[in-house]
Amino acid sequence: MDVTTFRALHHDRAPDDPLILPGPWDAASARAFAAAGFPALATPSAGIAESLGHEDGATPADEMFAAVTRITRAVAEFGIPVSADLESGYGLPARELVERALEAGAVGVNLEDSDPSGALNDPERQADWLAAVRSAAGDALFVNARVDTYVQGVPDIEETARRGRLYVEAGADSIYPILCPPDHLPDLRTAIPAPLNAFALLDDGPSPRELGQLGASRVTFGPGLLRRVMGAAGEIAREVQEW
């Protein structure tokens, strides 16, 4: 499946049927999600970091691209597209970032507007950088632009919407107001002329269907699926100890 099909998956969705993108952290999890029938996958940088023994945000670029390559290779036989969370771009020039994402087999990228220190980037400069990414990629990559206002303590709908509109004008295909309260989604959906990515928790908060009804076109889980698996691994470890 190519980027054109992946892009189309985000549009014309029924309110109760958002695109659900599980987040594989390695080749084995990617194959499990592919075998379950999901139409596409989206890697979580935090999940990959944990699987490689790094803190979130501390994965070296080479290791992240290598992990994405293993994941795309693992699901190639299923014809399933993979979007890669590349954090804030690792300081790479836009063209190099695009080239490495494509070489890793990704059809999409998730790019956040916080710098590595955790501060929000200037939105105009971020928009310029996203425009450079779009120029380098042409139509070859789906760009999911993450807005970190809620993560960084700026829970303001107007500022989030302003950033989202700037990023869409710069060429972003969708906007991800990560950790946005669910009741903000309807206003953001009205204010931002692009599909919205919402974050779902497995054990708390609205379901993907409910997030879709609130305005999300796409739902991801961050490292939540990995952490559920690790919880199960802990239970298995206890069973083995008690055997």
Side-chain angles (χ1 to χ4, degrees):
M1 191 182 294
D2 62 16
V3 66
T4 301
T5 306
F6 182 65
R7 188 172 279 116
L9 286 171
H10 293 74
H11 295 279
D12 300 321
R13 305 202 66 89
D16 63 349
D17 183 35
L19 176 62
I20 298 174
L21 296 176
W25 53 93
D26 62 10
S29 60
R31 288 184 65 84
F33 296 142
F38 288 99
L41 306 174
T43 68
S45 61
I48 289 178
E50 288 186 28
S51 75
L52 296 176
H54 297 294
E55 295 292 326
D56 185 19
T59 306
D62 287 350
E63 291 191 41
M64 184 62 75
F65 285 111
V68 172
T69 300
R70 289 191 292 273
I71 287 167
T72 62
R73 186 172 58 228
V75 299
E77 68 182 84
F78 295 91
I80 292 178
V82 177
S83 179
D85 183 348
L86 299 181
E87 303 181 295
S88 57
Y90 308 109
L92 298 173
R95 184 163 298 279
E96 182 179 352
L97 182 74
V98 167
E99 289 173 352
R100 296 191 69 175
L102 293 173
E103 287 171 0
V107 302
V109 291
N110 183 77
L111 299 170
E112 60 198 53
D113 67 350
S114 290
D115 66 27
S117 73
L120 280 169
N121 294 337
D122 175 83
E124 282 77 17
R125 286 200 297 271
Q126 181 72 7
D128 288 344
W129 184 67
L130 290 171
V133 170
R134 172 54 67 210
S135 177
D139 290 332
L141 282 177
F142 183 99
V143 177
N144 188 45
R146 200 178 95 174
V147 180
D148 285 0
T149 45
Y150 293 94
V151 174
Q152 302 302 341
V154 186
D156 184 274
I157 291 177
E158 291 185 4
E159 176 61 15
T160 303
R162 182 174 79 91
R163 286 172 177 262
R165 288 191 296 269
L166 281 172
Y167 303 162
V168 171
E169 291 170 5
D173 293 283
S174 65
I175 300 299
Y176 182 15
I178 186 171
L179 300 187
C180 159
D183 61 358
H184 286 199
L185 282 171
D187 287 339
L188 291 173
R189 182 68 189 90
T190 299
I192 298 172
L196 291 186
N197 185 156
F199 176 80
L201 295 171
L202 286 176
D203 302 313
D204 189 26
S207 68
R209 174 171 292 190
E210 291 167 331
L211 290 170
Q213 292 169 336
L214 289 169
S217 297
R218 157 176 165 158
V219 176
T220 53
F221 303 88
L225 304 183
L226 166 64
R227 291 172 184 171
R228 171 67 71 86
V229 169
M230 294 310 298
E235 293 178 5
I236 292 170
R238 286 189 289 274
E239 290 180 16
V240 170
Q241 287 177 324
E242 295 168 0
W243 194 8

